[in-house]
Amino acid sequence: MSKMRKKMRLLLFLTVCQYAINSIHTYSVSNPNVVLLMADDLGIGDLGCYGNRTLRTPYIDRLAKEGVTLTQHIAASPLCTPSRAAFLTGRYPIRSGMAAFSRVGVFLFSASSGGLPSEEITFSKLLKQRGYATALIGKWHLGMNCESSNDFCHHPLSHGFDYFYGLTVTNLRDCKPGQGSVFLKGIQKYLVIPVQILGVTLVSLAVVHYVGLLKVPFQALGYCLLLTAISLAVLIFFFYHFRHLNCFLMRDHQIIQQPLSYENLTQRLTTEAVQFIGRNTDVPFLLVLSYLHVHTALYASNMFRGKSKHGLYGDAVEEMDWSVGQILNVLEKYNLRNKTLIYFSSDQGAHIEEISSSGEVHGGYNGIYKGGKSTNWEGGIRVPGLLRWPGVIPAGTYMDEPTSNMDIFPTIVKLAGAQLPYDRIIDGHDLMPLLQGKVTRSKHEFLFHYCNAYLNAVRWHPGNSESVWKAFFFTPNFNPEDSNGCYDSHVCFCHGGFITRHDPPLLFDLSRDPEEKVPLTPKTERRFYEILRVIQLAVANHTRSLQAVPDQLSWDNLLWKPWLQPCCSSLFQSCYCDFESEDSLLEVHSG
């Protein structure tokens, strides 16, 4: 009888233990904390976990060791603005109007009227509805205002974030004195000659009027001269004050530092992220830490400057890795490690054309892959993809299936217990079955690669094959021709004389030729035309799914509009303030 009691007690004990384990497991795979770490212009070859042996990235490599490494993780666009729009919404940027038909494919000014439409549903909106505390720290680059300087229609707080600390546009060379200008070549190429022609025309008209060959009303000449002078004055004023007008730091809706100071900037972003986690240990939270590293202008604090083997670029990468380490440490501190899904990626590949005025390479390394930022060669869109969730996602595994940064949307929305929107197409797919090994094939049979608003290439991974076919309808014209990028124009463009169209399309099998070196032909691939027929059918189906939407990156929405310009002081005071440094000084004195 006593043996029976012991058996019953043991059975009861095991049942209770199993129930407890199941309860813990159920808790762990629902409503997790979510930390999304997004680098800017980081090359897939810049990290140790993707083969780099000269840059030190121990904390990012630790994410790979303790989680899943995606080896075919694809950005939805090779440019910042559309890629980030796709990341937040799980949709191709063409669907939200965040893909440009004009040459410029990103927002350049804080006083532009375009931005992520309010009708779009972001993962932050859905997680906030589920009780998550939500924060975006760092770079936004998806617009700010629509009709006034403080309507904040495109601001992060209008898209589901409770808290914002960072930049609404992006980090540009023009934001840091001595780093040159991203606009100078364009101004020289497109404005200097027209201004010269206009000047010669006005002088010629004045001369022929003076000698009596042609009577030209002086009033008309005066108006033309005045209009030209005003336009030039506005242009000179704008670019002279560019730092003050466009490079500023915000907390929520308030500008706290204008112009932006790079002094210990990564430390400040990291401190904000650490403090946000500390404030929300008892509720589920979503943290998007969107680094300014390693977009130019490059910078690094004294602790990291001059310490890497790759100049200022390497210093910036290693400082970002330190920041990732601080996030991992604070999660350990509050025992949140097993309750938190972490994702690390980059918005697109390295900007290989970035060369400083002194000749130092300021762009990253895309490994074996061709091209870089602004192109849909693999170097422009194949990005790091690391996910860690101890106890839920197996550690130290590699996955070579095609995945997309759009997949984060449905993945975390489902984990938070929210419903995916049913009134629109979501192009991303839930990653959890793939990450947990429940399935072995990606749901992305096709991925469509856009260059701005133009369909550039298609990736096809047939369900019954290991091949990954990629067809290019056009490719950028590299300059110089034998280079790997568009060095003359700083980025590659998507139309006109900047591209070469291909009929039939260029076809590669990435499973055999990931470097995209040798296009296939009907002689080297017997199924050549059959493969292209399937891809063309997929393109037709995809195109039919698109609906006309307002173009957020039209010239009208891109141009600087004075009435939308946010300033923390009057325009005549050069929009200057530094509440950030004042607060730091107060903390020091009070301490």
Side-chain angles (χ1 to χ4, degrees):
M1 194 72 177
S2 60
K3 287 184 179 180
M4 182 65 70
R5 285 199 190 96
K6 285 181 180 178
K7 284 184 180 179
M8 291 293 291
R9 285 174 184 169
L10 179 61
L11 183 62
L12 181 62
F13 175 74
L14 291 173
T15 303
V16 170
C17 287
Q18 186 63 47
Y19 177 79
I21 290 169
N22 289 340
S23 298
I24 293 170
H25 182 71
T26 302
Y27 174 77
S28 68
V29 295
S30 62
N31 298 312
N33 304 311
V34 179
V35 176
L36 307 177
L37 306 170
M38 181 65 71
D40 197 352
D41 291 2
L42 180 73
I44 193 170
D46 286 326
L47 303 175
C49 52
Y50 284 95
N52 194 297
R53 294 295 172 262
T54 53
L55 281 174
R56 295 166 297 186
T57 55
Y59 293 109
I60 297 173
D61 297 345
R62 179 178 156 192
L63 290 176
K65 185 179 179 181
E66 298 177 354
V68 172
T69 301
L70 304 175
T71 60
Q72 203 177 154
H73 195 49
I74 308 301
S77 171
L79 286 174
C80 304
T81 293
S83 176
R84 289 163 184 271
F87 171 61
L88 278 166
T89 63
R91 290 153 51 83
Y92 287 109
I94 189 75
R95 298 193 191 279
S96 58
M98 296 293 279
F101 289 93
S102 60
R103 182 175 300 173
V104 180
V106 299
F107 296 115
L108 296 172
F109 311 123
S110 60
S112 296
S113 56
L116 188 63
S118 57
E119 298 81 14
E120 286 298 312
I121 298 175
T122 60
F123 54 63
S124 44
K125 281 184 180 178
L126 295 177
L127 266 63
K128 183 176 179 178
Q129 291 171 6
R130 292 289 298 169
Y132 274 67
T134 58
L136 173 69
I137 294 168
K139 171 176 169 173
W140 173 240
H141 210 184
L142 294 172
M144 185 159 68
N145 296 312
C146 289
E147 297 178 355
S148 69
S149 62
N150 60 358
D151 63 34
F152 303 116
C153 65
H154 302 306
H155 190 277
L157 298 192
S158 299
H159 281 288
F161 290 103
D162 297 319
Y163 182 71
F164 171 62
Y165 175 92
L167 282 70
T168 57
V169 192
T170 188
N171 178 29
L172 292 170
R173 287 184 181 188
D174 304 68
C175 293
K176 191 177 180 188
Q179 294 295 304
S181 171
V182 296
F183 301 104
L184 193 57
K185 279 188 178 179
I187 291 171
Q188 290 173 339
K189 190 172 182 179
Y190 299 109
L191 289 180
V192 171
I193 292 176
V195 167
Q196 289 175 342
I197 292 172
L198 183 60
V200 170
T201 302
L202 288 173
V203 170
S204 300
L205 287 173
V207 169
V208 296
H209 178 87
Y210 180 77
V211 299
L213 293 176
L214 180 67
K215 294 295 181 184
V216 180
F218 266 111
Q219 192 175 13
L221 281 174
Y223 282 136
C224 288
L225 190 61
L226 180 64
L227 188 61
T228 303
I230 291 172
S231 299
L232 283 173
V234 170
L235 195 66
I236 292 168
F237 172 83
F238 176 76
F239 285 107
Y240 184 77
H241 291 281
F242 184 89
R243 283 184 64 233
H244 292 265
L245 296 174
N246 285 281
C247 312
F248 53 80
L249 188 67
M250 295 189 82
R251 178 175 280 112
D252 293 334
H253 289 140
Q254 182 187 6
I255 296 175
I256 58 174
Q257 193 173 57
Q258 191 173 13
L260 171 74
S261 168
Y262 288 89
E263 185 71 24
N264 296 324
L265 181 54
T266 300
Q267 281 87 339
R268 285 184 274 153
L269 296 174
T270 306
T271 297
E272 289 284 339
V274 166
Q275 290 176 346
F276 172 78
I277 292 172
R279 291 195 301 268
N280 293 284
T281 56
D282 296 327
V283 295
F285 61 80
L286 164 69
L287 168 64
V288 180
L289 179 49
S290 179
Y291 291 103
L292 276 63
H293 287 322
V294 281
H295 195 294
T296 52
L298 292 179
Y299 67 96
S301 64
N302 291 334
M303 186 167 57
F304 294 93
R305 196 174 181 90
K307 301 296 173 63
S308 79
K309 294 181 180 180
H310 289 282
L312 190 52
Y313 183 89
D315 300 342
V317 172
E318 293 187 1
E319 183 171 39
M320 178 171 60
D321 181 76
W322 165 84
S323 174
V324 172
Q326 297 302 299
I327 301 302
L328 298 183
N329 290 343
V330 75
L331 292 175
E332 297 275 2
K333 175 183 175 181
Y334 293 115
N335 297 316
L336 298 174
R337 182 176 182 270
N338 293 350
K339 301 174 185 177
T340 305
L341 170 66
I342 301 180
Y343 167 76
F344 179 90
S345 188
S346 177
D347 54 0
Q348 65 264 325
H351 192 176
I352 57 177
E353 295 94 344
E354 280 287 7
I355 308 292
S356 75
S357 54
S358 63
E360 184 181 21
V361 174
H362 277 191
Y365 177 53
N366 291 316
I368 65 171
Y369 303 112
K370 186 174 182 177
K373 176 178 177 174
S374 83
T375 80
N376 281 304
W377 294 111
E378 289 298 282
I381 55 175
R382 195 181 287 221
V383 294
L386 305 172
L387 293 107
R388 189 195 81 167
W389 189 359
V392 180
I393 295 175
T397 56
Y398 289 81
M399 205 152 290
D400 195 34
E401 288 290 295
T403 56
S404 169
N405 67 348
M406 296 184 292
D407 296 337
I408 298 304
F409 178 96
T411 302
I412 64 175
V413 166
K414 285 187 177 181
L415 287 172
Q419 290 294 318
L420 289 175
Y422 58 85
D423 61 341
R424 64 199 63 206
I425 293 173
I426 301 298
D427 298 295
H429 296 293
D430 181 9
L431 284 173
M432 288 305 293
L434 196 63
L435 297 174
Q436 293 183 304
K438 295 177 181 178
V439 300
T440 58
R441 303 287 295 195
S442 166
K443 287 187 178 180
H444 287 292
E445 183 179 1
F446 297 96
L447 280 169
F448 301 94
H449 306 306
Y450 280 86
C451 185
N452 285 357
Y454 305 99
L455 185 60
N456 185 188
V458 177
R459 191 187 219 87
W460 177 34
H461 185 39
N464 59 352
S465 169
E466 295 303 313
S467 291
V468 180
W469 308 105
K470 187 177 178 185
F472 276 96
F473 306 116
F474 63 86
T475 51
N477 298 329
F478 287 163
N479 48 69
E481 285 185 21
D482 59 348
S483 71
N484 193 36
C486 302
Y487 288 86
D488 290 353
S489 54
H490 192 62
V491 292
C492 296
F493 296 117
C494 302
H495 59 282
F498 298 102
I499 63 171
T500 296
R501 297 192 178 278
H502 303 286
D503 189 13
L506 290 187
L507 182 66
F508 300 91
D509 182 359
L510 298 178
S511 66
R512 292 179 288 170
D513 182 18
E515 299 170 68
E516 298 170 294
K517 280 186 173 180
V518 184
L520 299 170
T521 67
K523 291 183 179 179
T524 57
E525 174 52 59
R526 61 181 180 81
R527 298 175 57 218
F528 183 85
Y529 290 110
E530 179 188 343
I531 293 164
L532 290 181
R533 274 196 297 271
V534 173
I535 288 174
Q536 292 285 10
L537 180 61
V539 169
N541 291 333
H542 169 71
T543 304
R544 279 195 294 271
S545 77
L546 302 177
Q547 296 179 346
V549 292
D551 181 4
Q552 297 296 325
L553 289 153
S554 65
W555 282 115
D556 178 53
N557 279 326
L558 282 173
L559 290 176
W560 179 66
K561 297 177 179 177
W563 58 92
L564 296 183
Q565 180 62 53
C567 279
C568 59
S569 61
S570 75
L571 197 60
F572 298 103
Q573 292 175 305
S574 299
C575 296
Y576 176 83
C577 67
D578 192 359
F579 303 119
E580 180 81 343
S581 296
E582 290 172 13
D583 290 345
S584 298
L585 285 172
L586 284 172
E587 287 176 14
V588 170
H589 289 309
S590 63

